[in-house]
Amino acid sequence: MRGLIRKLPEERLEGIGVCPGVAIGNAFLVDDPRGRVVRVFLPKEQLETEIFRFREAARAAQVQVKKDIERVRAALGSDHAYILEAHLLMLQDRTLGRQIENFIRVNHANAEWAVRDVTQHLLEVYGQIEDEYLRERGSDIEDVAHRIIKILSGKEQRSLNEMADNSIIVAGDLLPSVTADLNPRKVLGFVTGIGGWTSHTAIIARSVNIPAVVGVRDITERVRSGETVIIDGAAGTVILNPSPETLIFYTEERQRQRQQALYDIEERELPAITLDNHEARLRANIELIEEIDSYQRFNAAGVGLYRSEFLYSQAETGQPTEEEQYEAYKFLAGMVGDEGAVIRTFDLGGDKLHLDGFKTERNPAIGLRAIRLSLSVEPVFRTQVRAILRAAAHGDLKILLPFVTNVDEVRQAKKIIADVERELSDEHILHEQRIEIGVMIEVPAAVMMAEALAREADFFSLGTNDLIQSLLAVDRGNENVSALFDPMHPAVLRAVKMVAEAADKMQIPVNVCGEMASNPAQVILLLGLGLRDLSMTPSAIPAIRRLVRSVKLTDAQALASHVLWMDTPAEVRHYVQAHLMDLGSELLAAAYPG
Ligand code: PEP
Ligand code: MG
């Protein structure tokens, strides 16, 4: 192990383990892509190059903003582009540019630091202005600074993939799009300062199967690049400067896990049938087309959720063209064959990925995201629908609408889909004429309106991540309240039951695609509540298959109806834990890591 030559005592830090597995490697400290910037003192001879670097970034930012303006104008009309036009003026303002360049010269500073310092100063001045309108313009300065810094550090981001082998990424936060780009051959694991089990960064970690721990406070201050780090992604433990004994212990643990992975592969063909002969369907959640490898490795029965928004984060221009989308969806359809795939229309906005040109919102989880955004940028939505309908002519694809809160949204989306279908017919382009359209049930309003929504939908998909967030009023990505994000909360179980009953009454299929479907303790309750179609991160399939094969459906039903009326999440958890103990220690360990 190539650690620094300094003998520091071993240090154990606790966070939230979001992808199980042991990783042992060298820390690679990454700056926070949301804008934390480090100060570098540059020698005199580098200053002109640094100024050139800043000018280039400012120029690139102008090009980006101009493109965004055009996109917003085309999608929403000229009136909506005024914020971006103000950004462009700021970028073209030579006074601001000269101030930043002077700062670099006088302070021997790197460009990122200069941008941050000069704009911070401006922000303070704006903050004192009485006029509210002008004061609000401060957020535009912040946006512009953020954009330039992002471009400047984007150049460094390339070096993320040029990092040494055996790296463990350590960052304040990693955006899902950055996580998705990590090269799993080089990155053994990652640790972040913020995040929770169902934050999108965590979901991506599981999908690329890289051991990860999030929510480790001050991690970037405690570790230096090059130091040896161990991650136990199941327990949520991060060990800095491990002692030789600790190193031996975790090396053996890693070996044991590799052995377990081999057993998992051996069991991949076993049917997911309960002891009393009821079959469950175990499907895969996919974020990146590249993940199709693990779809096959774990023998998933179709793709229950394809999070199409990640295509947008990967597209060079921020938006994949119809052709690019068509190729991706067609490839997916071909890979899954008769088992089929459900393509969720883009859930952009919110806490994960954004459509270029849209500002970060004050309260993004309940802002202009998902179906709301689709209906407000109709041309972008239509492009996606065209691509899906065309690809569906080559295989079994379905459409899923995310974050529905209102029957009207479904009606409007269906109208657009029908219109796009007619357009393709008129153009004599090969496409699917009668695609199935599903609705995600992931907010309390949709639970309450499930029967009405079922009249409009061909199927339901229960998104427990957002549902728990909104039902319990707990930010799914906030480590400070992660203990309150509790799928075992009786309110959550009762909501799940309501949805299962509504779907049953209205005779439409329902599946679960939230992270509850990945945890054996929660899956036993889902089975008991009447859900048999489960879609999960592919690496969770072996443990869930084992769970299904170890229970009787009648026992799961008795268990669920017993805990449903308990008063507290803790009571539910203890009761289920005791039940799992009877089924075997392995399942218990998978359900309650650490
Ligand atoms: C959910 O909310 O449960 C879900 C599956 O969607 P996402 O995690 O992408 O928000
Ligand atoms: Mg969701």
Side-chain angles (χ1 to χ4, degrees):
M1 200 66 26
R2 191 178 56 94
L4 285 189
I5 318 168
R6 56 175 188 146
K7 266 271 153 269
L8 288 173
E10 175 176 305
E11 199 179 349
R12 280 174 187 253
L13 308 171
E14 296 303 327
I16 304 160
V18 294
C19 182
V22 166
I24 307 173
N26 305 314
F28 183 93
L29 212 56
V30 183
D31 200 8
D32 182 345
R34 281 197 180 115
R36 200 175 65 85
V37 158
V38 287
R39 165 79 156 103
V40 182
F41 188 89
L42 299 173
K44 194 163 180 272
E45 57 278 12
Q46 265 183 35
L47 295 178
E48 285 314 308
T49 321
E50 196 62 10
I51 287 169
F52 179 72
R53 209 175 138 246
F54 161 69
R55 285 185 187 154
E56 286 291 292
R59 235 191 302 275
Q62 287 187 36
V63 174
Q64 273 185 6
V65 175
K66 282 180 189 158
K67 274 196 198 145
D68 289 349
I69 290 176
E70 264 158 38
R71 213 171 283 143
V72 172
R73 272 190 192 141
L76 297 173
S78 301
D79 288 355
H80 290 266
Y82 74 97
I83 293 172
L84 289 165
E85 279 157 4
H87 289 191
L88 187 60
L89 286 179
M90 240 179 261
L91 283 164
Q92 288 165 338
D93 176 6
R94 277 306 296 148
T95 319
L96 181 62
R98 263 197 296 272
Q99 260 179 304
I100 293 171
E101 290 168 18
N102 269 344
F103 189 98
I104 296 176
R105 250 185 227 111
V106 174
N107 298 288
H108 287 234
N110 50 322
E112 291 89 335
W113 188 261
V115 172
R116 173 52 47 90
D117 196 282
V118 171
T119 52
Q120 208 70 45
H121 180 69
L122 268 177
L123 268 177
E124 280 161 24
V125 176
Y126 268 76
Q128 287 156 10
I129 296 178
E130 297 235 329
D131 181 292
E132 195 186 331
Y133 175 79
L134 282 177
R135 206 173 47 238
E136 292 278 309
R137 301 285 60 77
S139 66
D140 293 334
I141 299 176
E142 235 175 341
D143 263 14
V144 168
H146 180 66
R147 191 185 283 271
I148 302 177
I149 290 170
K150 211 170 131 198
I151 293 171
L152 284 164
S153 54
K155 297 200 172 91
E156 265 153 40
Q157 240 149 58
R158 267 206 312 272
S159 71
L160 255 186
N161 284 328
E162 286 153 20
M163 74 181 77
D165 289 352
N166 301 329
S167 291
I168 291 195
I169 304 240
V170 178
D173 189 14
L174 278 178
L175 293 177
S177 49
V178 176
T179 322
D181 275 347
L182 296 178
N183 178 349
R185 273 191 295 277
K186 293 196 164 176
V187 180
L188 298 181
F190 68 79
V191 189
T192 64
I194 67 169
W197 172 262
T198 59
S199 61
H200 285 92
T201 303
I203 287 173
I204 286 287
R206 284 193 287 279
S207 72
V208 288
N209 214 359
I210 295 179
V213 180
V214 302
V216 186
R217 220 164 284 190
D218 301 332
I219 183 68
T220 48
E221 263 96 77
R222 301 171 93 139
V223 71
R224 290 195 203 164
S225 277
E227 273 178 355
T228 301
V229 176
I230 298 177
I231 297 182
D232 181 342
T237 306
V238 176
I239 302 164
L240 311 179
N241 314 302
S243 68
E245 299 76 35
T246 306
L247 260 179
I248 292 170
F249 174 84
Y250 278 101
T251 308
E252 285 172 3
E253 177 58 19
R254 195 175 49 183
Q255 192 49 36
R256 198 194 59 73
Q257 289 177 357
R258 286 181 179 155
Q259 193 57 45
Q260 178 63 45
L262 294 178
Y263 294 144
D264 289 349
I265 301 296
E266 276 171 26
E267 290 178 4
R268 66 190 283 284
E269 301 292 344
L270 296 177
I273 292 183
T274 60
L275 293 174
D276 48 355
N277 262 326
H278 295 273
E279 184 158 18
R281 182 167 184 199
L282 310 186
R283 298 202 250 177
N285 288 353
I286 299 279
E287 285 71 43
L288 311 165
I289 292 286
E290 296 82 353
E291 270 174 74
I292 211 76
D293 272 1
S294 54
Y295 167 86
Q296 286 163 330
R297 182 148 39 102
F298 296 111
N299 198 18
V303 167
L305 173 69
Y306 172 61
R307 289 180 163 100
S308 71
E309 55 274 11
F310 285 92
L311 264 186
Y312 291 70
S313 78
Q314 288 182 315
E316 298 263 307
T317 55
Q319 257 183 58
T321 61
E322 180 183 324
E323 264 340 278
E324 282 166 344
Q325 293 190 60
Y326 166 68
E327 289 301 334
Y329 306 149
K330 190 169 120 183
F331 177 78
L332 188 63
M335 292 307 289
V336 296
D338 292 345
E339 302 276 22
V342 177
I343 298 185
R344 174 172 77 182
T345 57
F346 59 78
D347 187 355
L348 292 162
D351 62 331
K352 44 186 157 182
L353 303 159
H354 295 274
L355 201 54
D356 272 2
F358 281 82
K359 279 168 78 80
T360 309
E361 297 174 293
R362 202 162 60 113
N363 213 341
I366 51 174
L368 185 61
R369 62 174 278 202
I371 185 89
R372 301 170 181 181
L373 184 63
S374 297
L375 296 176
S376 70
V377 286
E378 205 183 305
V380 185
F381 184 52
R382 290 178 80 97
T383 303
Q384 177 168 42
V385 172
R386 271 180 75 96
I388 299 175
L389 293 184
R390 285 175 55 203
H394 304 277
D396 178 7
L397 297 180
K398 297 179 178 36
I399 288 180
L400 179 61
L401 305 172
F403 211 67
V404 167
T405 53
N406 174 335
V407 173
D408 262 342
E409 289 167 333
V410 184
R411 290 189 182 141
Q412 283 179 53
K414 282 171 68 178
K415 213 161 147 242
I416 295 171
I417 295 167
D419 199 48
V420 170
E421 192 280 311
R422 266 191 303 275
E423 186 180 272
L424 287 167
S425 293
D426 291 347
E427 292 170 25
H428 305 291
I429 293 175
L430 180 67
H431 69 282
E432 170 60 54
Q433 290 172 337
R434 298 170 62 82
I435 197 152
E436 283 186 33
I437 301 169
V439 167
M440 279 198 81
I441 305 291
E442 51 180 348
V443 295
V447 175
M448 311 301 286
M449 298 302 293
E451 283 189 26
L453 287 167
R455 276 191 281 277
E456 297 289 340
D458 294 308
F459 63 96
F460 279 164
S461 192
L462 194 48
T464 53
N465 306 336
D466 274 306
L467 183 59
I468 296 169
Q469 167 165 274
S470 48
L471 193 60
L472 303 185
V474 188
D475 180 348
R476 61 193 270 190
N478 181 343
E479 69 286 1
N480 297 324
V481 286
S482 61
L484 294 175
F485 188 95
D486 201 334
M488 296 292 202
H489 195 302
V492 173
L493 303 178
R494 290 179 205 182
V496 169
K497 183 172 191 280
M498 284 172 75
V499 177
E501 284 175 352
D504 188 47
K505 180 171 169 200
M506 304 302 290
Q507 300 276 298
I508 63 165
V510 53
N511 68 64
V512 183
C513 65
E515 296 298 303
M516 271 183 89
S518 304
N519 181 300
Q522 292 152 30
V523 165
I524 197 168
L525 295 177
L526 293 175
L527 292 173
L529 291 169
L531 294 143
R532 318 252 189 288
D533 188 348
L534 308 167
S535 193
M536 67 206 80
T537 190
S539 58
I541 290 177
I544 300 302
R545 180 177 281 121
R546 229 166 283 138
L547 181 271
V548 172
R549 293 176 56 79
S550 323
V551 292
K552 271 195 186 153
L553 186 63
T554 47
D555 288 346
Q557 283 164 338
L559 184 77
S561 43
H562 188 76
V563 299
L564 201 59
W565 304 107
M566 286 181 164
D567 290 338
T568 68
E571 286 170 46
V572 177
R573 192 169 314 106
H574 292 141
Y575 197 81
V576 175
Q577 206 162 347
H579 190 85
L580 275 183
M581 198 123 61
D582 293 340
L583 294 179
S585 57
E586 233 177 77
L587 286 171
L588 190 67
Y592 298 101

